[in-house]
Amino acid sequence: MGSGPIVNQKGGNLVVFELEDVNQTTVYRVKKKKSKKIEMDVTKAATEIQAWWRGTLVRRALLHAALRAWVIQSWWRLMLMRALDRKRREALVSYVNRERAVVKLQSLVRMWRIHWRYCQVLKAIYNIRCHWQQQNCQTCALLQGHCVVTATHLQFHIEIINPGGLRAGAVFPRPQ
């Protein structure tokens, strides 16, 4: 009864022969002859596997580097947007403050012009009333005034009424 080859753990082949007549087992160690072609094929395959693995490691490193660069670029864009928003907000606040100052100044100029017109009219009324009262006549009529103020005009209406009228005289506030 013969047995086939058994693979040894050291990489060699172990061949066992049993002979029926002798009842003796002979063990022969047969070294496997490697041809140069097989050796080259194994070396080439190992080189290809190593190249593939190194390429995988390089691609993985490049992917990590690209992801890190993307994160940094995203952060930088966010910082630029925040700086731009802050500048826009500052420009808007500056514009609003400047416009508010201009409106306030225009309002003050309009108020001063109306006050100046009002004082001119009051001076004219006081002048007319003063001249009217200097006449000292019993039959002289009295002056009555009415003031209308609009956004662009200041109007006074002066009426001369009889002494027996409803009012004894017109009262106007003095300009300051």
Side-chain angles (χ1 to χ4, degrees), residues 88-148:
R88 285 181 184 161
R89 198 174 313 116
E90 289 172 359
L92 183 63
V93 167
S94 172
Y95 172 77
V96 167
N97 287 339
R98 189 170 45 248
E99 287 297 312
R100 187 177 296 144
V102 167
V103 169
K104 182 75 169 178
L105 188 59
Q106 289 173 345
S107 172
L108 289 173
V109 167
R110 282 191 207 108
M111 183 181 71
W112 175 80
R113 288 177 67 192
I114 290 174
H115 180 72
W116 183 72
R117 287 182 187 155
Y118 177 73
C119 288
Q120 279 185 330
V121 171
L122 279 184
K123 286 178 186 178
I125 291 173
Y126 287 135
N127 206 2
I128 293 170
R129 194 171 103 190
C130 187
H131 288 307
W132 194 265
Q133 288 176 352
Q134 286 178 358
Q135 291 184 4
N136 280 335
C137 61
Q138 298 291 332
T139 60
C140 291
L142 298 172
L143 296 175
Q144 182 179 10
H146 176 70
C147 177
V148 176

Side-chain angles (χ1 to χ4, degrees), residues 10-74:
K10 294 183 178 180
N13 289 338
L14 181 67
V15 180
V16 176
F17 292 103
E18 273 185 34
L19 300 174
E20 292 178 17
D21 296 346
V22 180
N23 229 356
Q24 177 184 1
T25 304
T26 308
V27 177
Y28 293 99
R29 214 174 263 285
V30 178
K31 289 191 177 181
K32 185 178 178 183
K33 293 183 179 180
K34 293 184 180 179
S35 68
K36 290 186 178 185
K37 183 179 179 187
I38 294 176
E39 240 179 73
M40 291 174 81
D41 287 344
V42 170
T43 306
K44 184 177 177 184
T47 305
E48 286 179 7
I49 292 172
Q50 289 174 352
W52 170 82
W53 180 246
R54 287 182 186 139
T56 303
L57 292 178
V58 167
R59 283 188 292 280
R60 186 183 303 167
L62 288 175
L63 177 65
H64 285 292
L67 288 175
R68 288 181 188 125
W70 179 76
V71 167
I72 291 169
Q73 289 170 353
S74 297

